[in-house]
């Protein structure tokens, strides 16, 4: 059984498609923001880095951009930031350039 599984896995190496290599685990990112009286981001700081300085900076820029949208509630800004950063990551892994 183990030999059959091993042979099956070896045979999968020839399958066409994308190769995905995982080199590490992303750390949770914590962002702290200061808001002005209109609930727009006045200052953004990284409380816990993801380990990628560019990603951290882009996250702060994205939070600030989302805070300028019409709905500035915490939930709306969080959803906007998550959607935009997901798009950034998807674009990065597909080889395209992304902006917040």
């Amino acid at each position: 059984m183990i030999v059959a599984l091993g042979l099956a896995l070896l045979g999968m190496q020839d399958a066409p498609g994308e190769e995905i290599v995982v080199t590490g685990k992303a750390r949770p990112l914590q962002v702290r923001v200061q808001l002005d009286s209109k609930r727009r981001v006045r200052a953004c700081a990284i409380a816990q880095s993801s380990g990628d300085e560019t990603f951290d900076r882009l996250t702060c820029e994205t939070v600030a951009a989302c805070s300028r949208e019409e709905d500035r509630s915490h939930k709306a800004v969080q959803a906007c930031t998550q959607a935009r950063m997901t798009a950034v990551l998807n674009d990065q892994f597909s080889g395209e350039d992304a902006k917040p």
Side-chain angles (χ1 to χ4, degrees):
M1 179 72 162
I2 294 174
V3 174
L5 179 59
L7 291 173
L9 291 173
L10 287 174
M12 291 177 63
Q13 291 177 352
D14 296 330
E18 292 185 18
E19 182 176 331
I20 299 173
V21 178
V22 177
T23 59
K25 183 177 179 183
R27 294 184 296 220
L29 174 65
Q30 292 181 2
V31 178
R32 293 220 167 98
V33 294
Q34 289 182 344
L35 304 175
D36 65 13
S37 61
K38 294 182 181 180
R39 296 196 48 82
R40 291 180 299 214
V41 174
R42 193 173 93 179
C44 180
I46 302 300
Q48 181 175 330
S49 175
S50 67
D52 183 319
E53 201 173 295
T54 301
F55 184 81
D56 295 352
R57 179 187 46 76
L58 188 56
T59 300
C60 272
E61 291 173 5
T62 302
V63 170
C66 288
S67 77
R68 292 189 293 269
E69 298 288 326
E70 188 174 331
D71 184 354
R72 295 186 187 118
S73 68
H74 175 78
K75 193 173 188 176
V77 171
Q78 187 175 22
C80 171
T81 302
Q82 185 173 1
R84 289 184 184 193
M85 291 308 294
T86 298
V88 165
L89 290 172
N90 287 336
D91 288 346
Q92 180 180 356
F93 287 110
S94 69
E96 300 173 20
D97 291 333
K99 296 186 178 169

